[in-house]
Amino acid sequence: MEKEQQTDDILGLGRSFLVKNLGGEELSIFSIWENRRVLLSFVRHFNCLMCKYYVSKLNELAPRLRAAAGEDEDARIHLAIVGLGTLDQASEFKRQMGFEGEVFVDTDILNASLYKRFKLREDKFFLVRPRTLMNLARVWYKGFRSWGIVEEQYSSSTVNIFQLEGTFLLGPGNTCDYSHRSEYPGHLFDAEDLLCAAGLKDDAAYVAPSTEKWVARLMMSRPVSLESLRALSETPLPSRSLVQIPVQGLLTVLGAVILGIIASLSFGTTLKDDMVFLSGSVFLGVLLSWLLFGVEWSEAGPGDVAGYLRRRLRLGGQTTRGGIRKPTRLYTPKEIDREVIRNESQCDCGFIAEVNFEEKFRDAQNLSGDETGFLPSGNPSELHVLDETLCYVRDFLAKPHPLLGRTGPTCPFVPTSLRLDSLYLGVCQTSQSTSTEDIAELIAGYGALFETLSPKDGRKKMYKAIIIVFPNVPLLRASELIDGVQNKLKAEFVARGQMLGEFHLLNDGAGLRNPNFFPLRTPYPSLAIRNMVPTDIVFLDHEKYPTTTRRRFLQSYIETIKSSTVGKPGQVDKDLQVAEELLAKLSE
């Protein structure tokens, strides 16, 4: 498959992923945000007064988005909505609402497969919920009405009155910087959070929920060891409690029970009658409280991290010399997305930004040589490993976090790499007999291959990277196999103007600006290859290396950066000056 394939071809997965524009042209939903940032909102249907109110809030947000982006076209966010209905209804809706963005129609009204793919909710009891009725009254008072848009065409086959709204900030590389799924009609997105997530408003306190999940699950805010992981794995699993009912719901249940007692006293003649009245009243009270006020399941216990720890399985299948099976090929993010959707993977965060880690580590007694800490349920399929790693790249590396000690994404190059589709990921299966030499030989080959991958020239080549994932490397050997290979090959890679990074759950390499932040942890042990950049000087002049090694590193750095076109000219000159001064000092 050629990397240059368009999104429509890569993700050509059936009609459930197709929409129509107002000209009647059918296109893939993914093409809407393939080459630009888009705030995509899903509405219930085009004659819904709550949807009209929802879109009016998008109209109010539009000037703020334009002003925040200014003249920077890359920062501009385009508005688009998708609705269930017909083209005539959509056209009239756009006209009446004065909506400046694009409108698309999902004609799969009965199945609403696209809405389901984005995990948008339905509420079949919204008309009996007081909160919904209050919202309807408020919106009606503001002047919004449910008629006036090709009303004669509306029927049960052209609307889904139970469908709820949602808003997603999507962009090239299938990134999702913000997601909101309405829980009831009229449940609006938070405009301030959206602007923060889009990078159009400074708010150091805002952290994307998906980013916070990765920081928590990889325990990036504290040092870890095998002993600490062992203690976590032995923590009892979270247990499901009974439903949590709001105060109004409890009052409803209590009222039903009182009515049941009154009915029992008035009409009951036997003990059996009394039990029927009382049990029926309790059931009715719980049912009414659920319909009117909603209930939710809660988890008690130690929290999310312990639930995410997994037992690693031994490698099955064929292996090559040394018990290692090299990646069958390297995949770009677009190719991984295509395969994930085609195979109905459970991890949907490739374009929805809602990671679902519900499987629990149930049989952990202690960490043995076969455990690494993270594994999808069952055998670690190559697709799931690639998908989860890509989720980590999108939702952690490409996003900011206050623990970094600076603004901007954790890795400043990743957002552009995703946009250019210039990340190459592969899965290498290993076994107990795999040695450092086996992995080093494999990775050295990828160092040579790196130069042949696109993009090869200009500034864009600096946004290219290879990530090789080792899902079967046990934590007990991560330092030996991952850190050992990185240490063994670093000089070879630096001499070529490349950097080789090591990542795994036990990596306690701290952030440059925060000694209490450990961003080099990944869901699976990994080695990453990229081009050298000016800021890499901090990784090359380290006292742990012998003087001769440091000199070679600095010489390679100076040669590479002088011929590079990356970085701000003034800052690059300063970095080169620092490197030359360090080299002169080491040569004395």
Side-chain angles (χ1 to χ4, degrees):
M1 182 176 299
E2 295 298 323
K3 177 176 177 291
E4 288 75 21
Q5 249 182 313
Q6 297 300 310
T7 301
D8 281 3
D9 297 323
I10 289 178
L11 297 168
L13 303 168
R15 302 188 63 82
S16 62
F17 294 93
L18 298 177
V19 293
K20 289 183 178 181
N21 60 23
L22 295 185
E25 178 186 3
E26 202 167 51
L27 66 157
S28 165
I29 183 71
F30 303 95
S31 66
I32 296 175
W33 63 83
E34 181 182 15
N35 299 308
R36 56 180 183 166
R37 300 181 81 190
V38 174
L39 185 63
L40 182 66
S41 295
F42 290 80
V43 297
R44 303 167 71 205
H45 58 82
F46 294 114
N47 206 27
C48 161
L49 81 163
M50 300 301 291
C51 300
K52 295 176 182 178
Y53 177 63
Y54 199 93
V55 172
S56 74
K57 293 302 179 182
L58 291 175
N59 287 340
E60 293 177 9
L61 183 64
R64 297 185 64 184
L65 294 177
R66 287 196 301 271
E71 300 298 323
D72 186 355
E73 184 62 27
D74 289 337
R76 183 184 174 191
I77 296 175
H78 302 260
L79 295 178
I81 61 173
V82 173
L84 293 165
T86 67
L87 292 176
D88 288 341
Q89 294 162 3
S91 298
E92 183 64 14
F93 181 89
K94 176 179 173 66
R95 187 192 67 80
Q96 285 193 14
M97 294 304 302
F99 183 62
E100 67 178 53
E102 299 167 85
V103 179
F104 300 91
V105 179
D106 181 3
T107 57
D108 185 22
I109 298 165
L110 295 180
N111 295 317
S113 301
L114 187 57
Y115 284 66
K116 293 174 183 175
R117 183 69 199 184
F118 276 79
K119 294 190 178 295
L120 295 173
R121 301 175 175 91
E122 290 187 0
D123 186 358
K124 297 186 184 300
F125 303 101
F126 72 93
L127 286 177
V128 297
R129 300 189 193 280
R131 179 170 52 186
T132 302
L133 297 176
M134 291 177 61
N135 279 339
L136 286 170
R138 177 164 53 88
V139 172
W140 181 277
Y141 178 77
K142 290 179 178 291
F144 295 93
R145 298 292 183 269
S146 288
W147 52 72
I149 297 181
V150 200
E151 188 175 357
E152 66 277 5
Q153 295 188 18
Y154 273 84
S155 66
S156 61
S157 63
T158 59
V159 298
N160 178 5
I161 64 171
F162 305 121
Q163 185 63 62
L164 296 181
E165 306 90 350
T167 294
F168 304 88
L169 179 55
L170 304 160
N174 277 342
T175 57
C176 182
D177 294 323
Y178 178 82
S179 61
H180 167 81
R181 296 171 177 83
S182 295
E183 297 177 1
Y184 51 87
H187 181 199
L188 294 173
F189 55 86
D190 188 307
E192 303 308 316
D193 280 354
L194 194 158
L195 290 170
C196 291
L200 301 179
K201 177 182 177 183
D202 292 330
D203 186 351
Y206 178 80
V207 181
S210 55
T211 305
E212 198 59 67
K213 286 181 181 179
W214 281 115
V215 171
R217 288 182 174 121
L218 299 180
M219 295 167 279
M220 294 183 184
S221 60
R222 54 175 169 162
V224 297
S225 63
L226 281 172
E227 289 72 22
S228 63
L229 290 180
R230 183 177 294 114
L232 268 177
S233 69
E234 292 171 350
T235 307
L237 287 173
S239 59
R240 290 284 190 180
S241 70
L242 292 177
V243 293
Q244 290 185 335
I245 304 177
V247 174
Q248 303 98 313
L250 290 175
L251 293 176
T252 303
V253 174
L254 180 60
V257 170
I258 292 174
L259 289 176
I261 294 174
I262 294 173
S264 175
L265 294 175
S266 303
F267 306 105
T269 57
T270 65
L271 179 60
K272 182 178 179 180
D273 292 338
D274 294 339
M275 294 301 296
V276 169
F277 280 122
L278 289 175
S279 60
S281 65
V282 171
F283 173 78
L284 179 63
V286 172
L287 178 63
L288 286 175
S289 67
W290 177 71
L291 291 176
L292 296 175
F293 305 106
V295 296
E296 60 183 21
W297 291 95
S298 65
E299 291 186 350
D304 198 40
V305 174
Y308 192 45
L309 289 173
R310 321 278 188 172
R311 179 180 296 277
R312 301 302 303 190
L313 301 180
R314 292 177 183 270
L315 173 69
Q318 299 178 345
T319 59
T320 61
R321 181 185 63 80
I324 185 171
R325 185 170 60 192
K326 67 179 295 184
T328 54
R329 57 165 294 184
L330 298 178
Y331 296 86
T332 66
K334 285 183 180 179
E335 292 170 337
I336 295 171
D337 287 338
R338 178 206 62 199
E339 294 302 324
V340 166
I341 297 169
R342 188 185 301 279
N343 289 274
E344 293 296 326
S345 170
Q346 293 301 308
C347 185
D348 66 7
C349 51
F351 63 90
I352 302 181
E354 182 178 275
V355 187
N356 180 18
F357 299 110
E358 294 299 327
E359 295 296 327
K360 303 302 177 184
F361 180 32
R362 296 188 175 278
D363 57 350
Q365 299 301 319
N366 53 59
L367 284 168
S368 68
D370 296 324
E371 296 163 8
T372 67
F374 294 90
L375 175 70
S377 59
N379 209 3
S381 72
E382 182 172 317
L383 179 58
H384 193 112
V385 172
L386 290 169
D387 187 24
E388 193 166 0
T389 301
L390 187 54
C391 288
Y392 158 84
V393 169
R394 284 173 170 147
D395 292 329
F396 175 68
L397 291 183
K399 302 286 178 66
H401 195 282
L403 287 177
L404 276 172
R406 60 165 172 79
T407 59
T410 299
C411 178
F413 294 91
V414 165
T416 302
S417 298
L418 290 169
R419 186 167 68 248
L420 296 175
D421 201 34
S422 58
L423 287 177
Y424 298 85
L425 293 86
V427 176
C428 177
Q429 303 285 10
T430 57
S431 70
Q432 286 184 316
S433 62
T434 300
S435 66
T436 302
E437 288 70 25
D438 295 323
I439 297 179
E441 181 181 347
L442 174 76
I443 296 301
Y446 279 109
L449 176 67
F450 182 82
E451 300 295 341
T452 69
L453 299 175
S454 297
K456 302 176 185 178
D457 305 305
R459 292 179 58 86
K460 288 184 178 180
K461 75 175 184 178
M462 307 310 295
Y463 299 100
K464 174 175 60 179
I466 292 177
I467 302 175
I468 304 298
V469 187
F470 300 87
N472 298 99
V473 166
L475 282 179
L476 203 60
R477 300 187 65 196
S479 179
E480 170 199 352
L481 296 180
I482 303 300
D483 299 346
V485 168
Q486 192 271 348
N487 188 59
K488 183 181 181 69
L489 296 179
K490 181 168 183 174
E492 177 183 331
F493 276 78
V494 169
R496 285 201 296 254
Q498 299 170 352
M499 298 295 289
L500 178 65
E502 75 284 11
F503 305 88
H504 54 82
L505 185 58
L506 292 178
N507 191 326
D508 272 349
L512 296 177
R513 296 171 178 80
N514 183 356
N516 297 313
F517 185 48
F518 306 93
L520 303 183
R521 295 176 184 163
T522 49
Y524 300 97
S526 306
L527 286 163
I529 303 168
R530 61 172 174 81
N531 280 302
M532 187 182 295
V533 295
T535 53
D536 284 330
I537 188 172
V538 296
F539 303 115
L540 301 176
D541 182 48
H542 199 288
E543 294 182 356
K544 71 177 182 180
Y545 299 117
T547 301
T548 54
T549 300
R550 292 165 68 185
R551 283 204 299 265
R552 288 202 305 271
F553 284 172
L554 289 170
Q555 288 169 349
S556 298
Y557 172 86
I558 292 170
E559 293 172 4
T560 300
I561 300 306
K562 280 185 175 180
S563 62
S564 173
T565 58
V566 175
K568 299 178 181 179
Q571 186 60 47
V572 171
D573 292 340
K574 291 181 181 179
D575 291 334
L576 283 171
Q577 182 179 351
V578 170
E580 290 168 346
E581 291 174 354
L582 289 171
L583 181 59
K585 184 177 180 181
L586 291 173
S587 301
E588 292 177 354

